[in-house]
Amino acid sequence: MSHSEQAQQSQPVRAATAAFIGTAVEFYDYYTYATAAALVLGEVFFPSSNHFLSTMASFATFFVGFIARPLSGAVFGHLGDKIGRKKMLILTMFMMGVATTAIGFLPGYATIGVWAPILLVLLRILQGVAVGGEWGGAVLMASEHAPKGRKTFFASLPQMGSPAGLILSLLSFRLVSSLDHESFVAWGWRLPFLASFILLVIGIVIRVGVNESPEFERMKKNREEVKFPVAEVLRTAWYPILLAAMATTIGSAGFFFTNTFMISYVTTYLGMSKSFILDCLFAVTIIQLLSQPVSALLAERLGETRFLTLAALLCMAAPYPMFMLVRTQSPVLIVIGISLAVVTLSAVYAVIAGFMTPAFPTRVRYSGISIAYQLCVTIAGGTTPLIGTMVADRYKGEWLPLAVFFTILSAISLIGIVGLGRYRNGKRTDETGAVLAN
């Protein structure tokens, strides 16, 4: 076998690895902001004598990044369907790294006044634009390179970038949270943001070495592309976009509930220290990272629709034991409780990419899955910490209303999963199982 043939055969693994590592870098940047929003950004950029108002303002800037994501998903989806998946992945990674590093250098309100929160919001929007275009391309590079019959598992590998990025982010904040409060607020919180530049260089080097998606290349060769992919997918596939967005709900919003909001909740209402809850979440995230590939393998054996339906039902029940165990303030029980919720919602997250991808023809696939996912993340993911904070304040930290909120998010996913499964079963597909254009 020639060297070129060996290189070609190794492309599925290289593509999946590059998608995983690149996505881990992107999500490190995103979770770094989310963690900082829960811990310190309110104090630095929105100082107030009212802790609730500072936290809400901080989470509001967190949400601002989500507003840009549907438009970004549409723009990068269009470009990814027109000029290639690989180019978009390199561009979005560069944008994310620059924005995150710049936040690390940004002076606080005490130094430059109102310009501090204004510039923070602008950089947060740039983060949202970058991650809005990242996810769809990473999933497609992995799944479209995958061997026949393995698309579900290969598409799950970029999804592992989320817990991997969170682990890196939690580690970085765990190191700096051991500083005294004054040092942490003055400069310690900036170090995780500045470390993003190193990860940016590593991620770009890895992604440059991967070939373009073979399915995209085949589409271009056969001249099957359309002039305006976004317009085409909105005209012909608005229904699966809606179903896919609903199906993704708990897999997206759930993470911001169990991580971003939970940090604020336990430190505010249960009196836990920042370092204590970060240690617990670190253990939970390792469990999540290990469980996601297992979920993808099980879904290949049981069938995606059946597996996702079961996972969504378990998600509906998970928050009740989670909160009861968290309130014990025992580190072991806290890890077990949050893991119950995270393992079930990450099962949905791991499999949902491979589940929604075949619902769209290759020529509009980047646009379709990006719009669906980013629409869900904006509506459900971006608002979850805000809604959780308001509910906790309204009910004085009582856990039952928060658990019901989590169950509602899970029920939305269940409806979307069942609907999208029926849609795929009712459509004409090619030999890979992808829906064919009408």
Side-chain angles (χ1 to χ4, degrees), residues 104-128:
F105 285 112
L106 188 62
Y109 188 91
T111 304
I112 59 173
V114 71
W115 281 106
I118 291 173
L119 291 173
L120 180 67
V121 168
L122 291 176
L123 290 171
R124 177 62 183 154
I125 291 172
L126 184 58
Q127 275 194 325

Side-chain angles (χ1 to χ4, degrees), residues 27 30-31 34 62 66 69 131 135 159 162 166 244-261 288 292 315 341-342 344-353 356 372-385 405-406 409-410 412-413 417:
F27 275 99
Y30 219 66
Y31 282 127
F62 178 66
F66 288 87
R69 288 176 67 162
V131 81
W135 182 85
Q159 304 292 74
S162 175
L166 180 55
M246 293 175 65
T248 309
T249 299
I250 193 59
S252 172
F255 287 128
F256 296 111
F257 188 103
T258 56
N259 291 291
T260 306
F261 167 71
Q288 177 195 342
Q292 282 192 198
C315 285
V342 167
T344 54
L345 71 89
S346 67
V348 175
Y349 183 72
V351 178
I352 201 67
M356 73 164 70
Y373 182 78
Q374 302 308 336
L375 179 65
C376 165
V377 170
T378 299
I379 295 174
T383 60
T384 290
F405 174 45
F406 192 98
L409 295 172
S410 305
I412 294 171
S413 276
I417 288 164

Side-chain angles (χ1 to χ4, degrees), residues 314-336:
L314 291 174
C315 285
M316 293 177 67
Y320 304 95
M322 175 182 72
F323 273 107
M324 287 189 285
L325 292 173
V326 165
R327 291 180 70 85
T328 67
Q329 303 201 29
S330 162
V332 174
L333 295 180
I334 289 172
V335 170
I336 292 173

Side-chain angles (χ1 to χ4, degrees), residues 172-217:
S172 65
F173 269 98
R174 182 63 184 89
L175 291 173
V176 297
S177 67
S178 60
L179 296 168
D180 62 86
H181 181 72
E182 289 74 18
S183 297
F184 178 70
V185 173
W187 56 268
W189 68 270
R190 299 178 182 276
L191 299 181
F193 286 88
L194 298 178
S196 173
F197 184 78
I198 300 172
L199 298 176
L200 166 66
V201 174
I202 295 171
I204 288 181
V205 169
I206 291 172
R207 283 189 166 174
V208 166
V210 179
N211 294 342
E212 180 58 87
S213 154
E215 291 188 31
F216 176 81
E217 296 282 20

